[in-house]
Amino acid sequence: MKNSPRQPLLPLKLSWITIWQAISILLLFLIFLKAIIDIDTNYDTWWYHLPFAARVWGIVPVENFAPELVIQYRFEGFPLLANWFQGLLWWATGRVQAANLVGFFSVIIYLVFLQNRLQIPWYLGTLALLAIPTVFTHAATCFVDLPGNIGMSVLVIMTYIMFQKPEFPSRRDLIIMFFGAVTAVNTKPQLQPLAFLVCCIIAIRFVWLCFKQSAVTKKRLVRILPLALLASLLIFATPVKNIALHGNPFYPIKIEVAGVVLNHESVPEAYQEGNRARKWLSSVLEINTPPWWSTDQWNAGMEEFMDRGGGFFGLYVIFNILLLVSFCFSEQLRSGQSPTPKEARNALITVFLMSLVPANFPQSHELRYFMFWMISLVSLNLYLISRNHGWRWLQPKYLGLIYLIFQLVVQYKAGRFYGKPVLISLEKHLSNTVRPELLTQIPPNSQICLKSQHGISNEDQVPFVPIQNTFLYSSYFHPELDYDYSITAAVDPINCGDRQILPRD
């Protein structure tokens, strides 16, 4: 009797999927631990993100701490949705670290969206998204770029899906598009023009589909118009509020319309930069960018590199573009295999169209403002892969290995700091940034003006406080003093008024 061949304990497919699931769970768990344990020490976090979150929820009211004027103008005009959620988690838990979870939960929500709406395996989405350096490095921080761009990616992907079908979007799809647009517009000012253009494209598509419907259906659609107007007001709540209060939808940023300069308080130097499209392309492909990735791509003054360039992993960009192009020109697609040639072609058109705005926008090379581009590119490929029934090597169990390799490279270059807790407590951060001799000079119920400056380390013992550390001097962080006081930060001492100025010269 011949011996029967030994059978594997588990089918190969289940074995591979189990491996990718286990690795994905580990990655997400480590990022979650970092978010909830570590204090985010990034510059912008303490300069204005956490002060905004604390002010919105009354944790540290403006009477106790007021930032420098340029940041106060931002509070009045910038969208604050992500900061609102940061403050909510901070208030609910009593831990400032909880504010980091807004970025982490935005990733989880997007993975659920990919799984439920596009049938993309969550583990494949995890590996593919965390192979994008800006996503990986932002997922456990208080930067609001990630949640805003997640919302923008949802809107872009749903618009792409809408053009695949000859009928109107379902109620569920409309709700998803609405929340994606609300998140994008009310989180990042850079995303507002793009969201407006996408909403215009959606409106045109609706009108086109309306002409193809019966008279009864058209009458029903007319009834939707009031809801559409209400939805538009909610989506563009921040620009509408800025127009009503300041006469400028992008307040405090300088905007010129038909030769008329609108009310403003800020003119970013980046608006005067050179060829934006060329700088954007160089940054996307990581040509002349720093050979690593930080949260904001700051190059620490290395003049040989583009300032704040990179963040999408140039080789990963090329891989995803080639993969998308290969779908478009596959002979199997032409023979009717799924995905269809139309789906692949429309995906490529979507990538081209969504490149036009960020490539020509001020600060185009600072990719953390426009990471929706890379998130959407990866998501479109994942959508086509999930529908693939022709190419055997493009099955999720094999693609998981490729995405994992890219993710490991990102982990190596970005450093393990972003992928696991390093035990930075609030107490440790305070001891590294707050000067005790200044605290002793703050009497009870006093009004203090902290003389500040940008970009200088506290270790230099200079006669001013680094601007990113001023919030840490508020009474909320020093219960040991057992009394309240009011602090204002000012780069120019003339803005201190009659307040006592510290540090003294």
Side-chain angles (χ1 to χ4, degrees):
M1 179 179 179
K2 294 183 179 181
N3 293 329
S4 60
R6 181 178 296 178
Q7 298 295 325
L9 295 178
L10 293 173
L12 181 60
K13 181 178 180 181
L14 178 59
S15 176
W16 278 111
I17 291 177
T18 302
I19 291 173
W20 305 144
Q21 288 176 337
I23 293 174
S24 298
I25 291 174
L26 178 62
L27 282 171
L28 292 173
F29 181 66
L30 289 175
I31 293 174
F32 171 79
L33 285 182
K34 178 172 180 59
I36 197 63
I37 292 175
D38 286 348
I39 287 288
D40 181 12
T41 59
N42 281 293
Y43 193 103
D44 290 2
T45 292
W46 292 96
W47 186 22
Y48 61 95
H49 288 311
L50 286 178
F52 285 2
R55 184 169 170 179
V56 167
W57 277 87
I59 299 170
V60 182
V62 68
E63 293 80 14
N64 286 17
F65 175 80
E68 61 173 324
L69 280 178
V70 66
I71 298 302
Q72 294 197 58
Y73 294 140
R74 291 187 184 186
F75 182 84
E76 293 173 10
F78 274 24
L80 300 173
L81 181 61
N83 301 124
W84 189 91
F85 282 111
Q86 289 175 340
L88 171 63
L89 293 175
W90 183 354
W91 173 82
T93 63
R95 289 172 52 84
V96 65
Q97 293 95 323
N100 299 331
L101 293 174
V102 173
F104 175 79
F105 285 145
S106 70
V107 174
I108 300 300
I109 291 172
Y110 193 67
L111 292 174
V112 172
F113 162 73
L114 293 180
Q115 171 95 32
N116 292 342
R117 184 58 188 85
L118 304 182
Q119 288 73 56
I120 296 171
W122 68 268
Y123 59 88
L124 193 65
T126 300
L127 296 174
L129 289 176
L130 293 181
I132 305 172
T134 47
V135 174
F136 178 65
T137 58
H138 280 237
T141 73
C142 283
F143 279 71
V144 301
D145 306 84
L146 181 56
N149 279 276
I150 288 291
M152 191 70 240
S153 299
V154 169
L155 183 61
V156 169
I157 297 300
M158 290 305 299
T159 303
Y160 162 79
I161 296 297
M162 185 180 70
F163 275 83
Q164 309 307 312
K165 300 178 179 180
E167 66 271 8
F168 284 98
S170 66
R171 180 179 301 178
R172 183 186 68 164
D173 286 353
L174 290 175
I175 293 174
I176 293 173
M177 295 165 73
F178 169 77
F179 280 108
V182 166
T183 303
V185 171
N186 296 285
T187 301
K188 291 294 296 182
Q190 291 90 341
L191 299 176
Q192 292 171 357
L194 181 72
F196 177 77
L197 291 176
V198 174
C199 288
C200 289
I201 292 174
I202 293 173
I204 293 172
R205 178 65 174 174
F206 262 82
V207 172
W208 171 256
L209 292 175
C210 183
F211 277 112
K212 299 176 66 176
Q213 303 300 316
S214 64
V216 175
T217 304
K218 291 179 182 179
K219 290 181 179 179
R220 293 176 180 174
L221 291 174
V222 171
R223 300 173 188 171
I224 298 176
L225 287 177
L227 289 176
L229 292 175
L230 176 60
S232 299
L233 289 176
L234 294 175
I235 290 171
F236 295 98
T238 299
V240 169
K241 181 263 295 182
N242 285 338
I243 292 174
L245 296 181
H246 307 291
N248 178 356
F250 301 106
Y251 181 87
I253 305 301
K254 179 182 178 181
I255 297 294
E256 185 174 336
V257 179
V260 177
V261 177
L262 304 183
N263 178 34
H264 66 280
E265 298 290 347
S266 178
V267 184
E269 294 181 2
Y271 280 33
Q272 310 302 324
E273 292 177 351
N275 191 311
R276 295 171 180 172
R278 184 173 60 191
K279 293 185 71 173
W280 176 79
L281 187 61
S282 297
S283 189
V284 166
L285 298 179
E286 296 193 336
I287 300 172
N288 194 36
T289 63
W292 45 265
W293 304 293
S294 67
T295 306
D296 62 356
Q297 289 73 58
W298 184 48
N299 64 18
M302 295 184 290
E303 296 181 358
E304 66 270 25
F305 296 120
M306 178 189 296
D307 186 31
R308 301 179 188 271
F312 286 172
F313 192 178
L315 289 178
Y316 194 45
V317 174
I318 294 173
F319 165 77
N320 277 279
I321 291 177
L322 291 178
L323 180 59
L324 182 56
V325 171
S326 67
F327 272 115
C328 294
F329 294 98
S330 167
E331 290 294 333
Q332 288 177 306
L333 295 189
R334 293 176 183 175
S335 63
Q337 296 285 344
S338 181
T340 66
K342 180 183 177 181
E343 289 174 321
R345 183 175 63 251
N346 285 351
L348 188 61
I349 293 173
T350 300
V351 171
F352 172 76
L353 292 177
M354 74 178 183
S355 304
L356 297 179
V357 173
N360 293 280
F361 205 84
Q363 299 171 283
S364 61
H365 66 287
E366 297 189 39
L367 300 183
R368 69 184 177 95
Y369 299 142
F370 310 106
M371 66 174 82
F372 80 90
W373 186 89
M374 189 61 184
I375 295 173
S376 298
L377 171 60
V378 171
S379 301
L380 288 169
N381 273 329
L382 291 175
Y383 173 73
L384 297 177
I385 289 168
S386 68
R387 295 175 57 78
N388 170 53
H389 301 296
W391 291 346
R392 184 177 180 182
W393 68 275
L394 280 182
Q395 299 299 316
K397 62 180 180 181
Y398 301 128
L399 264 295
L401 177 60
I402 297 176
Y403 288 126
L404 176 61
I405 291 173
F406 278 113
Q407 208 287 318
L408 291 175
V409 173
V410 170
Q411 286 237 25
Y412 174 77
K413 292 190 68 177
R416 289 178 292 178
F417 174 85
Y418 293 103
K420 71 173 187 178
V422 292
L423 305 180
I424 303 177
S425 65
L426 177 60
E427 292 74 18
K428 181 178 180 179
H429 187 52
L430 287 170
S431 66
N432 291 336
T433 54
V434 174
R435 294 158 59 176
E437 70 274 14
L438 291 185
L439 287 178
T440 61
Q441 299 177 38
I442 302 177
N445 303 314
S446 58
Q447 293 190 337
I448 301 297
C449 182
L450 287 182
K451 186 169 55 177
S452 311
Q453 188 166 322
H454 291 272
I456 302 295
S457 171
N458 195 47
E459 298 174 354
D460 296 330
Q461 298 297 304
V462 290
F464 52 79
V465 175
I467 195 67
Q468 73 275 18
N469 295 339
T470 55
F471 183 50
L472 289 163
Y473 284 83
S474 62
S475 59
Y476 175 86
F477 298 105
H478 301 285
E480 73 277 6
L481 296 180
D482 199 27
Y483 56 77
D484 286 332
Y485 50 87
S486 175
I487 282 183
T488 291
V491 173
D492 188 346
I494 198 173
N495 294 323
C496 289
D498 57 357
R499 288 174 173 258
Q500 179 184 345
I501 298 178
L502 292 178
R504 299 187 181 94
D505 292 331

